[in-house]
Structures are given as C-alpha cells and as structure tokens.
Amino acid sequence: MSSSENEHDPHHGHDHGHAHAEPHAHDHSPGAHSHAPSVTASNARRIQWVFVMTLGYAGVQAVGGWLSGSLALIADAGHMLSDAAALLLALIAYRIAARAPDKLRTYGFHRVRVLAALANGATLLLLVAWIAWEAVARFRQPTEVLAGPMLAVAVVGLLVNVVGAWVLMRGEQNDGNLRGALLHVVGDLLGSVGAIAAAVGIMYTGWTVLDPILSVLVAVLVVRSAWSLVSDALLILLQAVPRGLDVEAAQAAIARLPGVAEVGHFHAWTLTDERVVATVHVTPSPGTDPLMLPKQVADLLRDKHAIEHVTVQVDPPGGLRGPH
C-alpha cells in the first residue's frame, strides 16, 4: 500500500491497511484516548489566583506608568502582561486536558494553546517595538518622571510577586505548568526590584535617563519571551521535527531491531508543547511475524526518544521503494 502525506497529518485518520500499533495498545475511538497532560486541581487553582493578581497588577502598572511618566513601569507592565499570558496558557492547558476528543477533532483541542501563544507573542513584539521607539525619544529628550508614584507602584508589584511566588511554591512541583509559572513570577519579581532601584535612583540623583534605560532592559526580557512563543508556535504549526529529536538516529535504531528489514517515511511532529507524535513505515525480514513489529517499534521510540504516540505501518517487502 502506498501512503500519502495526509496519513501523517494529525487531522487525518490512520487508514494504513497494515499492521498498526501504539504504545500501551491505545484506543483511537473518540474520547477513549487522551493526549492531555495530567491535571492537578490544586495547582490549577493556584495558577488561576496568580494569573488574576498578575493581570490586575499589570493594569495598575500601566496606569501608574502613564500617570507618573515612567516608561519603565509601562515596559514592566508589558512584562507582567506577557507572564499573565503565560499563566493563561497554562490554565488553557488544564481546561483542554479535561475535554475529550470528538469525531471532528480526534486529537483534541491542544492546538488552541499554540494559537493563543502565537497571538500573544506577536502582540508582545509590537509592544516591544513601541517601547524601543519611545525609549529612543526619551534618550534624545528626557521627560519628567514622578519618582514617588513610580516607587510606590513598584513596591506594590514586589509584594504582589512575592505573594504569587509563595502561592506557587506551595503547590506540587512535579507539575511542569506550575514550575513554568513560578519562573515567570520570579522574573516579574526581579523586574519590580529593578523598577524600585530606578525610582530610588531618580529620587536621589534626578537622572531621569534611568527610566528609559530600565525600560530597554525590561523590553529585552519581553522580546526574548515573545520570540520564544512565536518561534515555538510556528514550528508546531508547521509540524517541524520536535526540538532535540534526531530523525536519522531514530530510524537507525529502528533498523537495528530484530525482524526489521527496511525502515522509512519517518514523520514526527509536536501535537502541543509536550506531546510528540510520530508515524513510520517498516518492512519485515523473511520469517518475521509482521504483527510483532509495531509494538517493538513503538516501545523503542517511547523508551529511547520519548515519543508517546506512534503509528507503525508494516509494508510488504519492497513496499518502501514506491512513492509515498
């Protein structure tokens, strides 16, 4: 049987017509098989509380920055907004995990998170461009900054981030979403410390140039996060090979399995940020039971390459030489 690119697409069915297996004998009927990450209700609530605090304070920072004339506060508000978006994506992941696949979306709703990340990253890159433009203007012509209100807003931000970090640190640390959220909050905490330092510096020296300098430093942090979101989302949507996966090494390992005569047409892509899916074609050696190969291949890819969902098609001898 010759295969087409569609059968490697996660939005198409696996109609291979040959032996087929996935790790642990997965069932593909709608609702029977889940690609979702494990969900911890307590961690979800903690992330939800920190999200509300982070988003609320981002608004306070934006208003405070506007009223005090502090570009650094506005930039840090963008940084807080990026982290609030990251927390929101974590919450979306939890929500998605509770939704079963259906007949139309057999892989579930995981790509919603990827689309949200792409939109978030693109918006943040636009914000960074505006911050950079405004910072250059302020270097050329410094503007008045009210250091007192700036300091007050920054101190509130420090307290918010300390509370947020405390809430997350009391959660179950084996949860990747929670650990990621904690890292974002720690980054926000450091941003608040920087804003406090800039405000104090302006109060004692009158150097308002400290404000655009800090805003540029914060913008660098934002652009790193934003670009990571955009690039990772684009790679997932383009169904690129997941980071860290060596396709040639994976195929070579399969070829070394007893009973495998040929291996080819290996495709691997990321379903969401932590779920890798793969398809591969193999042909059996003479005297090999073809029904034994799918499980062997799937077990190898799961154990050696952390690919949890594998579809294996067994072709007749010479079947890999035709068009695919």
Side-chain angles (χ1 to χ4, degrees), residues 8-24:
H8 303 295
D9 189 320
H11 301 290
H12 290 75
H14 297 298
D15 183 16
H16 297 306
H18 291 282
H20 161 278
E22 295 157 16
H24 309 303

Side-chain angles (χ1 to χ4, degrees), residues 183-274:
L183 290 175
H184 282 292
V185 170
V186 171
D188 290 334
L189 191 152
L190 295 176
S192 295
V193 171
I196 291 173
V200 172
I202 292 172
M203 290 178 68
Y204 282 96
T205 67
W207 295 346
T208 56
V209 73
L210 292 174
D211 183 67
I213 289 175
L214 178 61
S215 70
V216 170
L217 294 177
V218 174
V220 170
L221 296 177
V222 176
V223 77
R224 286 184 60 189
S225 299
W227 181 248
S228 176
L229 283 172
V230 170
S231 61
D232 288 349
L234 288 176
L235 286 174
I236 292 174
L237 293 176
L238 290 172
Q239 295 185 208
V241 174
R243 298 183 188 275
L245 177 61
D246 187 332
V247 173
E248 293 183 354
Q251 289 195 108
I254 295 172
R256 289 193 295 269
L257 286 172
V260 174
E262 295 177 289
V263 58
H265 308 297
F266 183 91
H267 296 261
W269 64 93
T270 307
L271 182 62
T272 184
D273 53 0
E274 297 176 350

Side-chain angles (χ1 to χ4, degrees), residues 42-51 53 159-173 178 181-182 185:
S42 173
N43 284 356
R45 285 194 299 271
R46 292 178 186 280
I47 292 177
Q48 187 172 9
W49 275 110
V50 176
F51 165 72
M53 289 191 296
L159 295 176
V160 168
N161 289 313
V162 167
V163 172
W166 179 79
V167 169
L168 294 176
M169 288 175 67
R170 291 172 60 86
E172 298 177 21
Q173 296 303 311
L178 189 81
L182 179 59
V185 170

Side-chain angles (χ1 to χ4, degrees), residues 98-124:
R99 298 189 64 179
D102 56 30
K103 293 181 179 180
L104 180 62
R105 292 162 288 254
T106 57
Y107 272 82
F109 299 82
H110 302 283
R111 290 290 172 90
V112 172
R113 185 180 182 188
V114 178
L115 293 173
L118 180 61
N120 174 38
T123 302
L124 289 173

Side-chain angles (χ1 to χ4, degrees), residues 20-208:
H20 161 278
E22 295 157 16
H24 309 303
H26 292 324
D27 181 0
H28 271 257
S29 60
H33 174 69
S34 174
H35 300 272
S38 58
V39 177
T40 305
S42 173
N43 284 356
R45 285 194 299 271
R46 292 178 186 280
I47 292 177
Q48 187 172 9
W49 275 110
V50 176
F51 165 72
V52 171
M53 289 191 296
T54 303
L55 183 62
Y57 178 65
V60 171
Q61 261 193 324
V63 173
W66 183 267
L67 295 178
S68 66
S70 172
L71 182 63
L73 282 183
I74 296 176
D76 199 38
H79 187 204
M80 294 284 285
L81 184 62
S82 72
D83 289 342
L87 294 171
L88 178 59
L89 292 177
L91 290 172
I92 290 174
Y94 283 121
R95 297 292 184 183
I96 288 174
R99 298 189 64 179
D102 56 30
K103 293 181 179 180
L104 180 62
R105 292 162 288 254
T106 57
Y107 272 82
F109 299 82
H110 302 283
R111 290 290 172 90
V112 172
R113 185 180 182 188
V114 178
L115 293 173
L118 180 61
N120 174 38
T123 302
L124 289 173
L125 288 176
L126 292 176
L127 175 63
V128 167
W130 178 82
I131 291 172
W133 178 272
E134 188 67 18
V136 170
R138 292 194 180 198
F139 279 126
R140 293 176 177 174
Q141 185 175 356
T143 59
E144 182 183 4
V145 177
L146 303 178
M150 178 183 176
L151 178 61
V153 173
V155 169
V156 172
L158 179 63
L159 295 176
V160 168
N161 289 313
V162 167
V163 172
W166 179 79
V167 169
L168 294 176
M169 288 175 67
R170 291 172 60 86
E172 298 177 21
Q173 296 303 311
N174 62 342
D175 185 326
N177 281 323
L178 189 81
R179 291 197 306 271
L182 179 59
L183 290 175
H184 282 292
V185 170
V186 171
D188 290 334
L189 191 152
L190 295 176
S192 295
V193 171
I196 291 173
V200 172
I202 292 172
M203 290 178 68
Y204 282 96
T205 67
W207 295 346
T208 56

